């Protein structure tokens, strides 16, 4: 299954460096079943790693202080000295990796010279977390090759740090955790405050999670993601000024928000209302998942979409269209936008025997409405980042 990607990455490495790679690593994208925009708001999330990957081909270079990175898919490369202090550069993709190096240096760890080439089957800007796969994949590689003794949790936090400091997106921790801690056929419930997590069987007998990629691309540097963080921070401050004991959104109720609505103003109120409801929904979704009640899970997904679209306002016309049209079809339990929003994918809980028909119908309707060919991803829930050993694949 991974062979074409590994093969392609291997060949590109050989031609870029005129030598053989010594290691291959696979770093996955993620889906999120429920709990959107609550990872930086005291919530719980339900993500899982998927079988779409960034593949890294790597060789350690003892004789040099240079690290050379080749982004195969966009035919760009970048080199830097690993012992110098790093700062953000113009090549946006390189910043994810330089940010990781800086975070590792700040941890007091030392790395050596390296040649890296990478290629991806995770579509970029589609809400499947290609960013976390890139930054955490690289942190994982440096940890493995230079024996940095970092825990998996530290790797996830380093990835997030890189995005905050070098990319400028104030993301939460969900994507990095899913990429690093993903388990085959398991959905994770992550407490985004304590970072404790448990796994649930992804048992959805008779149903399938299917992604519809609107092909509307976004980057959270410009998307409004950081603005949402400011809105909710303002809301939190107002709540605290009246209820100092309420240190996080888990304690807040809808009644309190109604009481403070005037002071918050309409926009901040709506943002906070979404969060309070979404935190509750994730609790209900965990119950539905563990009791194998897919219908209820589907309802919650659809409710989340309404909240994301009308209250948190991170959807867009194309995704709203996809969700609304999907919900008119028979055999659909739930549909919603997924990830940061402003484009990307919808996630749909569909009856197995209807999924292909529904996908085709929506594909056609979307093309007619927007002139865009959407993509359909039937993803499988898979392992987090791992090294791929040479004898496990055939080239
Ligand atoms: C992006 C961010 C995550 C999370 C989601 C929305 O994927 O990277 O931290 O906030 O958006 O749930």
């Amino acid at each position: 299954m991974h062979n074409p990607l590994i093969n392609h990455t291997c060949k590109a490495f050989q031609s870029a460096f005129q030598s053989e790679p010594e290691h291959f690593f696979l770093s996955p994208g993620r889906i999120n079943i429920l709990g959107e925009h609550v990872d930086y708001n005291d919530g719980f999330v339900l993500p899982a790693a998927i079988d779409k990957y960034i593949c890294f081909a790597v060789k350690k270079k003892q004789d040099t202080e240079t690290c050379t990175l080749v982004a195969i898919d966009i035919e760009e490369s970048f080199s830097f000295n690993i012992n110098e202090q790093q700062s953000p550069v113009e090549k946006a993709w390189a910043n994810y990796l330089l940010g990781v190096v800086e975070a590792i240096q700040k941890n007091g760890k030392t790395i050596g010279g390296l040649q890296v080439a990478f290629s991806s089957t995770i579509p970029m800007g589609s809400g499947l977390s290609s960013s976390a796969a890139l930054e955490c994949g690289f942190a994982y590689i440096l940890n493995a090759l230079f024996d940095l003794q970092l825990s998996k949790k530290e790797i996830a936090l380093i990835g997030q740090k890189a995005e905050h400091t070098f990319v400028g997106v104030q993301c939460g921790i969900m994507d990095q955790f899913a990429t690093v801690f993903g388990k085959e056929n398991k959905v994770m419930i992550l407490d985004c405050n304590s970072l404790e997590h448990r796994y649930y069987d992804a048992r959805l007998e008779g149903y399938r999670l299917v992604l519809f990629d609107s092909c509307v691309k976004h980057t959270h540097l410009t998307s409004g993601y950081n603005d949402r963080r400011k809105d909710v921070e303002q809301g939190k401050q107002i709540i605290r000024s009246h209820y100092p004991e309420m240190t996080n959104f888990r304690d807040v109720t809808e009644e309190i928000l109604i009481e403070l609505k005037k002071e918050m103003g309409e926009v901040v109120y709506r943002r906070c209302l979404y969060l309070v409801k979404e935190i509750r929904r994730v609790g209900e979704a965990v119950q539905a998942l563990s009791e194998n009640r897919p219908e209820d899970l589907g309802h919650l997904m659809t409710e989340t979409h309404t909240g994301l679209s009308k209250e948190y306002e991170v959807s867009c016309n194309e995704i709203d269209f996809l969700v609304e049209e999907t919900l008119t079809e028979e055999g659909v339990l739930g549909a919603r936008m997924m990830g940061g929003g402003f484009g990307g994918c919808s996630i749909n809980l569909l009856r197995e025997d209807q999924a292909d028909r529904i996908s085709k119908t929506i594909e056609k309707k979307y093309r007619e409405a927007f002139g865009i060919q959407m993509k359909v991803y039937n993803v499988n829930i898979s392992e987090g980042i791992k090294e791929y050993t040479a004898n496990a694949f055939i080239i």
Side-chain angles (χ1 to χ4, degrees):
M1 183 100 165
H2 313 311
N3 288 355
L5 176 64
I6 294 174
N7 236 327
H8 170 65
T9 312
C10 181
K11 288 200 177 116
F13 184 101
Q14 289 162 337
S15 97
F17 297 111
Q18 300 302 311
S19 72
E20 293 299 318
E22 286 169 351
H23 305 267
F24 293 93
F25 292 86
L26 289 168
S27 186
R30 62 105 189 87
I31 53 169
N32 182 27
I33 292 178
L34 217 79
E36 220 62 91
H37 284 274
V38 290
D39 62 341
Y40 55 93
N41 285 308
D42 313 313
F44 300 83
V45 290
L46 275 178
I50 54 171
D51 57 347
K52 288 195 173 290
Y53 300 96
I54 298 180
C55 176
F56 295 86
V58 186
K59 185 172 193 169
K60 219 165 142 176
K61 296 289 285 175
Q62 313 279 16
D63 54 339
T64 166
E65 294 187 350
T66 304
C67 175
T68 303
L69 308 163
V70 177
I72 301 166
D73 305 338
I74 51 170
E75 295 179 6
E76 283 189 5
S77 64
F78 184 79
S79 294
F80 63 95
N81 184 313
I82 40 126
N83 288 324
E84 279 171 7
Q85 202 188 333
Q86 312 304 330
S87 44
V89 295
E90 258 185 37
K91 280 188 175 132
W93 62 269
N95 287 328
Y96 292 91
L97 307 166
L98 290 173
V100 165
V101 172
E102 193 209 47
I104 285 176
Q105 286 170 337
K106 285 209 163 140
N107 267 6
K109 314 266 183 185
T110 318
I111 60 167
L114 202 61
Q115 293 173 326
V116 184
F118 61 92
S119 176
S120 178
T121 53
I122 312 170
M124 271 171 38
S126 289
L128 300 185
S129 187
S130 53
S131 314
L134 184 59
E135 68 222 7
C136 292
F138 193 50
Y140 189 98
I141 291 168
L142 297 178
N143 185 46
L145 264 48
F146 299 105
D147 195 21
L148 303 180
Q149 307 283 324
L150 297 169
S151 67
K152 279 176 140 190
K153 184 167 144 184
E154 284 171 313
I155 290 174
L157 289 168
I158 283 172
Q160 183 193 33
K161 190 62 171 256
E163 206 153 325
H164 285 189
T165 54
F166 269 54
V167 181
V169 176
Q170 299 302 309
C171 62
I173 192 66
M174 168 173 76
D175 303 350
Q176 292 77 9
F177 250 73
T179 297
V180 174
F181 286 95
K183 266 200 204 309
E184 199 168 346
N185 294 326
K186 303 276 182 195
V187 173
M188 173 193 306
I189 174 158
L190 170 66
D191 175 333
C192 298
N193 283 357
S194 70
L195 300 185
E196 277 168 22
H197 55 284
R198 273 178 291 141
Y199 297 93
Y200 286 85
D201 283 336
R203 258 188 315 130
L204 294 166
E205 275 141 47
Y207 295 92
R208 205 199 288 171
L209 286 166
V210 182
L211 307 180
F212 294 161
D213 187 348
S214 67
C215 294
V216 175
K217 301 283 176 199
H218 62 261
T219 145
H220 289 315
L221 197 52
T222 49
S223 71
Y225 186 97
N226 289 346
D227 293 339
R228 294 299 177 280
R229 280 203 84 140
K230 285 187 202 136
D231 290 347
V232 292
E233 207 36 60
Q234 213 181 317
K236 214 170 186 176
Q237 269 171 26
I238 293 173
I239 295 165
R240 267 206 211 131
S241 69
H242 292 266
Y243 296 95
E245 72 282 8
M246 292 207 170
T247 51
N248 78 58
F249 275 111
R250 285 178 203 180
D251 306 329
V252 179
T253 60
E254 288 182 40
E255 289 70 36
I256 288 176
L257 295 180
I258 292 168
E259 181 197 316
L260 302 176
K261 184 171 175 182
K262 208 153 169 225
E263 188 174 341
M264 285 183 171
E266 185 59 40
V267 172
V268 172
Y269 166 75
R270 264 190 278 129
R271 306 285 189 256
C272 295
L273 181 63
Y274 165 77
L275 295 178
V276 169
K277 292 202 275 188
E278 183 71 351
I279 290 172
R280 170 189 50 76
R281 275 192 290 264
V282 179
E284 292 175 15
V286 170
Q287 284 296 110
L289 202 63
S290 51
E291 290 162 16
N292 200 11
R293 289 187 277 111
E295 288 82 5
D296 293 341
L297 184 63
H299 281 307
L300 291 163
M301 288 169 67
T302 305
E303 270 182 34
T304 290
H305 183 75
T306 310
L308 287 166
S309 176
K310 306 276 184 286
E311 293 162 353
Y312 215 67
E313 294 178 284
V314 288
S315 187
C316 62
N317 290 340
E318 291 85 347
I319 295 276
D320 283 346
F321 177 91
L322 287 177
V323 169
E324 279 157 26
E325 290 301 325
T326 304
L327 289 170
T328 64
E329 294 295 320
E330 224 181 278
V332 178
L333 294 192
R336 68 175 195 85
M337 62 144 269
M338 190 184 71
F342 306 99
C345 290
S346 67
I347 178 166
N348 308 285
L349 185 51
L350 309 181
R351 243 176 64 186
E352 188 102 60
D353 58 353
Q354 301 276 351
D356 290 341
R357 177 194 59 76
I358 298 167
S359 305
K360 285 205 180 81
T361 309
I362 302 301
E363 213 172 354
K364 181 163 178 283
K365 285 188 177 173
Y366 188 61
R367 201 173 37 243
E368 282 165 5
F370 293 97
I372 305 174
Q373 179 61 44
M374 82 173 197
K375 295 196 176 112
V376 178
Y377 308 130
N378 284 295
V379 290
N380 295 304
I381 295 183
S382 64
E383 281 297 305
I385 306 174
K386 60 182 176 229
E387 178 162 6
Y388 212 77
T389 48
N391 56 8
F393 65 93
I394 312 147
I395 289 185

